Amino acid sequence: MNAIPPRARFGFVLLVGLGLLSLVAGRLFPDWLASSCPLGVDPTRPDRTVCELAFGGLWVSLAVGLVAGALSTLIGLVVAAVARLAGGPLEQVVLRAVDAVFALPDVLVVMVLQLAGQSLSDAGLGGGLGPFGLMVVSLSLVGWAGPARMFRNRLATLEGQEFVAAARALGGGGLHVLRVHLWPALRPFALAVFLSRLPTAILTESTVSFFGIARMEPMSLGRYLGTSYAALIYEGGGRVVLPAWALLVLLVLGASLASQALSASPRKAS
Amino acid sequence: MRTVLQRLARQLVLVPVVAVASYFLMAMLPLTTESETKRQVSPELAASYRRDLGIGEPLGFLRPWEKLFRGERLGTSAQGITGDELVRKLSGSVGVGLMALPLALAWALGFALLRTRWRKGRWAVLGDAVPAVAFGTPVFIPALLVAPAVVERGHLLPELCAALVTSLWPGIFLGTLVGDALETELSRDYVRTALGKGLAPGAVLRRHVLPNVMPALLDAVGPVATALLAGSFAAERVLGLPYFGQLYVLAVLNKQVAVVVVATTTFASLLVVVSLGIEAVRYWVDPRSREARA
């Protein structure tokens, strides 16, 4: 634990703290939160308090970010490993596909995928995916390109090192080298990549939900902000919007700090 | 020359890939109208869906573009769009993006200078916290905060505010990169040599350091341009600007699938044009890129 940079430690503490807070306040004791909320009720939903909606949204946003971040990191890792193992023209084709996916903004592609997924679900062809699953799949289909590019570059760098050349000279096959020699060196980097996907996934989900395109229920922070921003035109409406914004910023701040610090010194983190 | 053409081809291939992928994704949607319980779209929208996408026809994926070039309306009469309207809306969004670009550069320069100053003092933590807060604040939040004061005013004030809120994160991001590159270059031997030979610090910066910082700046301009254009979607929606971002969001919400196909491809083409522009500038200002290609 001492080897983890202070910024990363702060980011981790912030993330875990927010996760615990959302679990305790939003999921385990929502009644207590409803009765003791100092911010009062949401004017657009008189039956719910601002605290209930904000902490409930925090839990949903964090869950979407964690699952989508993990899935896109895993897809990126598999794609990069397959590309490096295959090499040659196949690797070049994969890299061009990565460039094509990477070129378009996440928000735009997720909106199109949400439209397609919702139409399939409405026609009974959604494969049992609810709004949460649909959002996670959309974010993962968009988000794998960045991790794939990062893993591929990292693998290419690691493969140039002497311990890999020695393993190959001793007869180690591609899969053996990947599993025994490269993966241990890649693990801390994988954690940094996952943490870098977390805020991106949360922000993309928030923006798409804010537009009203995703039907996240219970509401995420983005959907809550999207449905309650009309409160800003009333006096004191800031009490409805600002807590959700602050939670969103803290969540992304925690993940960004942890990811930046781990990316800067991945070896120390191991 | 071959390498340059290869790079151009890599950029340009994105447009047909996006056009075909978005067309077939939309064409396979089961937008049912048969039974009342499962009805997803109105009969008028379902008719425009089949008509505009040319479903079941040979080369049907060219149909939306044919209609646009003939000046016909895509989608329904109330929510569809013609080619002229698309160009007008796109130029509105590009205009907001062009207003945002100098603002982002101003934020970048200001933040790079402040970060260099903070690094040596007790405010060093702000050098990391400000980018994280800027990144963690989606564009719609500052847009929401300014919206009540500007939406009804007109006189380009909503456009200016959209540019301002859109430029925040890209500007800070650019400032972080430029600050880091500047610091790295300033610590190099050639800078010490130039200063030791009596050249003024301003001249060292202008003649020696900035040309070496330029490639880092150009590397960042591509993602920044994408962020500005994508960020304008949210700003336009909140500030009620009737441009491309608003068109796109409404097309998705109202299931105007032909408009989605055309708008997605147009947006990808715009990004390709920006990338080609950046490549041209890089070729012009960075002799290393010309040498590498030769």
Side-chain angles (χ1 to χ4, degrees):
Chain A
M1 188 69 185
N2 287 335
I4 295 180
R7 268 193 303 158
R9 208 179 305 162
F10 177 73
F12 275 126
V13 169
L14 198 56
L15 268 182
V16 173
L18 285 170
L20 286 174
L21 197 63
S22 65
L23 176 69
V24 171
R27 304 292 291 182
L28 299 181
F29 303 106
D31 298 336
W32 173 79
L33 195 65
S35 59
S36 59
C37 180
L39 298 169
V41 295
D42 182 344
T44 54
R45 291 174 210 80
D47 58 327
R48 307 289 299 274
T49 62
V50 172
C51 301
E52 276 179 282
L53 291 164
F55 283 103
L58 175 65
W59 173 256
V60 176
S61 289
L62 189 58
V64 168
L66 285 171
V67 181
L71 208 54
S72 42
T73 306
L74 187 67
I75 297 171
L77 183 60
V78 170
V79 169
V82 169
R84 284 305 296 166
L85 284 173
L90 182 66
E91 187 179 8
Q92 290 307 313
V93 170
V94 171
L95 286 176
R96 294 293 79 75
V98 165
D99 285 346
V101 176
F102 202 68
L104 289 170
D106 289 4
V107 170
L108 186 132
V109 185
V110 170
M111 280 199 279
V112 174
L113 292 175
Q114 283 286 314
L115 168 62
Q118 284 171 10
S119 300
L120 287 171
S121 295
D122 290 346
L125 304 167
L129 280 180
F132 182 89
L134 184 56
M135 179 54 80
V136 165
V137 169
S138 306
L139 289 170
S140 308
L141 286 176
V142 170
W144 63 272
R149 189 191 268 183
M150 288 192 266
F151 283 127
R152 186 261 165 203
N153 291 344
R154 192 70 170 188
L155 280 171
T157 309
L158 286 171
E159 282 173 21
Q161 295 199 358
E162 286 175 356
F163 69 93
V164 178
R168 289 212 169 116
L170 288 167
L175 267 178
H176 170 81
V177 170
L178 184 68
R179 191 172 50 85
V180 177
H181 299 287
L182 294 176
W183 172 238
L186 206 61
R187 255 189 327 231
F189 185 68
L191 179 63
V193 171
F194 162 64
L195 286 171
S196 75
R197 280 310 305 167
L198 182 59
T200 313
I202 292 170
L203 285 176
T204 307
E205 184 279 324
S206 299
T207 307
V208 174
S209 297
F210 175 79
F211 290 148
I213 291 168
R215 305 168 187 166
M216 297 291 288
E217 203 59 56
M219 286 192 289
S220 64
L221 283 176
R223 181 140 193 248
Y224 172 46
L225 284 166
T227 54
S228 63
Y229 74 87
L232 276 175
I233 59 175
Y234 305 114
E235 198 176 334
R239 73 177 169 82
V240 178
V241 175
L242 294 181
W245 171 37
L247 288 175
L248 194 58
V249 170
L250 285 175
L251 193 57
V252 176
L253 180 69
S256 299
L257 285 178
S259 153
Q260 282 170 17
L262 288 181
S263 306
S265 54
R267 284 194 175 279
K268 280 183 187 173
S270 63
Chain B
M1 195 63 194
R2 194 174 157 227
T3 323
V4 176
L5 288 175
Q6 268 179 350
R7 288 178 73 99
L8 284 176
R10 266 184 215 165
Q11 303 276 352
L12 288 171
V13 81
L14 181 68
V15 178
V17 166
V18 170
V20 172
S22 59
Y23 173 83
F24 283 106
L25 185 64
M26 291 297 113
M28 69 167 209
L29 294 187
L31 296 181
T32 51
T33 54
E34 286 77 18
S35 72
E36 283 295 328
T37 50
K38 283 192 173 180
R39 177 173 291 173
Q40 295 179 40
V41 292
S42 64
E44 189 202 355
L45 185 55
S48 79
Y49 169 71
R50 290 192 198 92
R51 193 179 58 233
D52 293 343
L53 292 184
I55 290 172
E57 294 176 18
L59 296 178
F61 66 91
L62 293 174
R63 175 56 68 87
W65 301 100
E66 272 179 343
K67 289 194 76 173
L68 269 192
F69 285 118
R70 278 193 215 135
E72 294 172 24
R73 178 168 286 273
L74 279 182
T76 55
S77 53
Q79 294 157 335
I81 192 165
T82 62
D84 290 346
E85 287 166 355
L86 181 72
V87 171
R88 264 203 303 280
K89 285 177 185 289
L90 188 65
S91 41
S93 284
V94 170
V96 171
L98 287 176
M99 283 160 84
L101 191 60
L103 286 171
L105 291 173
W107 288 116
L109 189 64
F111 182 66
L113 291 173
L114 279 175
R115 197 163 182 251
T116 313
R117 189 171 292 179
W118 286 340
R119 194 175 287 270
K120 289 164 190 161
R122 58 186 169 159
W123 300 103
V125 69
L126 284 179
D128 296 320
V130 170
V133 172
F135 178 56
T137 305
V139 172
F140 62 80
I141 300 276
L144 283 178
L145 296 178
V146 298
V150 301
V151 164
E152 307 265 312
R153 294 276 178 90
H155 303 296
L156 290 179
L157 193 60
E159 280 85 352
L160 188 62
C161 285
L164 188 70
V165 298
T166 307
S167 66
L168 278 173
W169 151 241
I172 301 288
F173 167 69
L174 208 56
T176 311
L177 288 183
V178 172
D180 287 346
L182 204 60
E183 204 162 320
T184 309
E185 291 304 322
L186 284 173
S187 66
R188 288 195 193 278
D189 287 344
Y190 72 86
V191 176
R192 270 198 297 278
T193 307
L195 287 171
K197 285 190 167 186
L199 205 61
V204 174
L205 193 71
R206 199 177 58 252
R207 264 196 247 161
H208 296 287
V209 176
L210 285 183
N212 285 309
V213 171
M214 198 58 91
L217 184 68
L218 286 173
D219 283 342
V221 166
V224 162
T226 309
L228 288 177
L229 290 167
S232 69
F233 278 40
E236 286 173 24
R237 180 91 176 128
V238 175
L239 296 167
L241 296 173
Y243 300 140
F244 191 78
Q246 182 85 293
L247 164 83
Y248 198 89
V249 174
L250 289 177
V252 172
L253 281 172
N254 297 322
K255 297 190 176 176
Q256 299 278 342
V257 285
V259 181
V260 171
V261 171
V262 166
T264 308
T265 311
T266 308
F267 194 82
S269 313
L270 187 63
L271 293 181
V272 167
V273 169
V274 171
S275 300
L276 292 178
I278 292 166
E279 284 295 318
V281 174
R282 190 199 303 277
Y283 194 78
W284 179 50
V285 301
D286 185 9
R288 278 171 292 195
S289 73
R290 288 197 294 270
E291 283 161 19
R293 282 160 194 185

